[in-house]
């Protein structure tokens, strides 16, 4: 399978975004992922509701819900058929992390890298993998090792 010039340009633009964007603030992302501990005495119900909604968005994000509503439960099969949809899905997953602190789903990176490997573009697949790894903020505190 060959990549057309337009698709190759779109992939290169996405890789450039991955490589040039600064990773999100790790402390902010990890703070969003922690369960809220509201001060029940000083906060009113709307403020407590906002705290839990923020936490819920950090846990679920918006990408999966949006694509499930659009394509149904088998949305990954639909997305995997078209490179432009894969790129949009990857952008949406990474935007969720920047906006809500959501852990980026690794299936987005896998969809794109498998598509590139099928097109015999191993170099681009590796750059996507490294860029995605650079952008993703891990929830555990162990040392983040760079990919070999």
């Amino acid at each position: 399978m060959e990549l057309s010039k337009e698709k190759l340009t779109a992939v290169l633009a996405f890789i450039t975004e991955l490589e040039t964007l600064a990773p999100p603030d790790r402390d902010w992302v990890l703070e969003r992922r922690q369960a809220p501990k509201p001060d029940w005495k000083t906060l009113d119900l709307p403020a407590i509701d906002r705290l839990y909604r923020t936490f819920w968005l950090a846990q679920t994000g918006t990408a999966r819900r949006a694509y499930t509503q659009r394509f149904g439960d088998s949305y990954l099969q639909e997305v995997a058929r078209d490179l432009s949809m894969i790129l949009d899905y990857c952008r949406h997953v990474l935007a969720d992390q920047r906006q809500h602190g959501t852990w980026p789903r690794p299936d987005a990176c896998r969809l794109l890298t498998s598509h590139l490997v099928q097109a015999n573009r191993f170099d681009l697949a590796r750059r996507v993998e490294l860029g995605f790894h650079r952008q993703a903020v891990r929830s555990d505190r162990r040392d983040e090792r760079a990919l070999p």
Side-chain angles (χ1 to χ4, degrees):
M1 172 172 71
E2 283 289 316
L3 287 179
S4 68
K5 192 169 191 154
E6 296 83 25
K7 289 182 179 183
L8 184 60
T9 304
V11 169
L12 288 172
F14 178 72
I15 290 172
T16 303
E17 287 175 31
L18 283 178
E19 293 173 344
T20 58
L21 274 176
D25 180 31
R26 178 181 175 75
D27 294 331
W28 180 86
V29 169
L30 292 176
E31 180 183 315
R32 289 289 185 128
R33 293 180 189 169
Q34 297 301 315
K37 296 174 185 154
D39 183 4
W40 299 99
K41 294 177 184 172
T42 59
L43 293 177
D44 58 350
L45 286 178
I48 292 170
D49 183 53
R50 276 192 305 277
L51 281 173
Y52 279 97
R53 285 183 189 272
T54 301
F55 173 67
W56 181 78
L57 274 173
Q59 297 301 310
T60 60
T62 60
R64 183 170 187 205
R65 185 176 56 233
Y67 281 87
T68 302
Q69 287 175 352
R70 190 169 162 196
F71 299 110
D73 289 334
S74 61
Y75 71 95
L76 284 177
Q77 294 171 348
E78 295 293 326
V79 169
R81 293 182 185 153
D82 183 27
L83 183 61
S84 63
M85 287 176 59
I86 294 172
L87 293 173
D88 290 340
Y89 180 64
C90 288
R91 283 188 180 99
H92 198 153
V93 165
L94 290 171
D96 267 353
Q97 179 179 248
R98 290 191 175 286
Q99 295 169 357
H100 308 296
T102 309
W103 179 66
R105 297 175 54 90
D107 59 2
C109 179
R110 280 192 219 119
L111 283 173
L112 184 53
T113 55
S114 66
H115 196 85
L116 293 170
V117 165
Q118 287 176 359
N120 292 325
R121 294 307 308 251
F122 302 102
D123 56 332
L124 296 180
R126 183 67 175 157
R127 285 177 63 191
V128 166
E129 198 173 52
L130 291 171
F132 199 84
H133 178 73
R134 182 176 169 268
Q135 292 292 325
V137 174
R138 295 177 58 102
S139 289
D140 56 359
R141 286 292 186 178
R142 66 181 168 184
D143 291 333
E144 293 186 17
R145 296 179 302 152
L147 290 174

